[in-house]
Amino acid sequence: MELLQGLLLISSIHLLAAASPGPDFVLVSQQTLSHGKKAGFMCSIGIALGLSIHIIYSALGLAAVIANSATTLWVIKILGGYYLLYLGIQGLRAKASTQISNKPDSKPSMKRSSLKNIGVGFLCNALNPKAPIYFVALFTVVLSPDLPLLHLVIYGLWMMAIQLAWFSSVVVLLSQPIINEKFQRLGHWIDRILGGAMILIGLKILTSKIN
């Protein structure tokens, strides 16, 4: 498959996957509304970097092994599910803020370091138990025995760029003054709703069977 053809195919598939509601989307929304635009961007970077884990093992040919190993998938499912539960519980514990500001980043009591926000996003994506199955299916479409390593690197970087661009767009939207001000007034309830959604996703992962 030609490089351009592969990029177009990967773009169409991966953009739909990135835009689908899931733990990454819920997490970016929660981080942006709770901690501001910068936190949302840092979390988005972490999610994009988390893709590198899946891309690397896929490139090494391990995706098929992981996707067909019940024990490995079980471990990933437990780690990912409980991590989402942890994030959800943090959201449920959110309290009403005594300050309302039109500036998305003006939440001093809830500031986090950029590294921590990146780490939260990275772990959320890297511990997604459905990722191995998705990536082995995606890479099967474009991989071939004679595929140059450079093309594989380009595919991986392009998917990370798509992921980052999509979630950055979400952050920008939620950071608009009019939208953000309305969300801030109900900030703790939004945190709790998104936290509950995260818990439901975590429970679904823990109780579902991965074929």
Side-chain angles (χ1 to χ4, degrees):
M1 182 179 294
E2 295 294 331
L3 177 61
L4 181 58
Q5 183 182 357
L7 285 174
L8 291 174
L9 183 58
I10 283 181
S11 297
S12 59
I13 297 174
H14 193 61
L15 183 58
L16 289 175
S20 300
D24 290 344
F25 181 85
V26 174
L27 179 64
V28 169
S29 300
Q30 190 270 339
Q31 291 295 303
T32 303
L33 295 171
S34 297
H35 306 297
K37 181 163 61 176
K38 181 179 179 181
F41 279 131
M42 294 300 104
C43 186
S44 299
I45 291 174
I47 289 173
L49 291 176
L51 282 182
S52 65
I53 300 297
H54 308 301
I55 292 169
I56 290 173
Y57 67 62
S58 297
L60 295 176
L62 297 179
V65 176
I66 294 175
N68 290 284
S69 172
T71 301
T72 303
L73 278 178
W74 181 83
V75 172
I76 296 174
K77 183 174 74 171
I78 294 299
L79 291 175
Y82 277 108
Y83 183 65
L84 293 178
L85 289 181
Y86 166 77
L87 293 177
I89 291 172
Q90 298 303 305
L92 290 180
R93 295 172 61 187
K95 298 180 180 179
S97 175
T98 57
Q99 298 179 350
I100 299 294
S101 171
N102 292 330
K103 296 180 180 181
D105 291 315
S106 58
K107 298 183 179 182
S109 63
M110 302 182 74
K111 284 289 184 181
R112 289 182 176 181
S113 69
S114 296
L115 186 60
K116 184 172 183 179
N117 285 315
I118 291 175
V120 169
F122 179 87
L123 288 176
C124 183
N125 187 276
L127 294 178
N128 186 346
K130 295 190 179 296
I133 298 175
Y134 166 72
F135 274 88
V136 71
L138 179 60
F139 273 84
T140 298
V141 175
V142 297
L143 285 181
S144 62
D146 58 344
L147 181 70
L149 177 60
L150 178 60
H151 287 197
L152 189 58
V153 172
I154 292 174
Y155 288 148
L157 293 176
W158 182 241
M159 283 189 285
M160 294 171 68
I162 291 174
Q163 197 90 352
L164 180 59
W166 166 253
F167 286 114
S168 294
S169 299
V170 172
V171 172
V172 170
L173 175 63
L174 295 179
S175 299
Q176 295 301 310
I178 295 178
I179 297 176
N180 192 270
E181 182 179 359
K182 292 181 179 180
F183 274 112
Q184 279 195 51
R185 296 183 185 280
L186 301 172
H188 61 295
W189 290 111
I190 298 297
D191 278 346
R192 293 172 184 176
I193 292 173
L194 294 177
M198 194 75 76
I199 288 176
L200 289 177
I201 294 173
L203 290 174
K204 182 179 180 180
I205 288 175
L206 290 173
T207 57
S208 64
K209 294 182 179 180
I210 302 179
N211 299 321

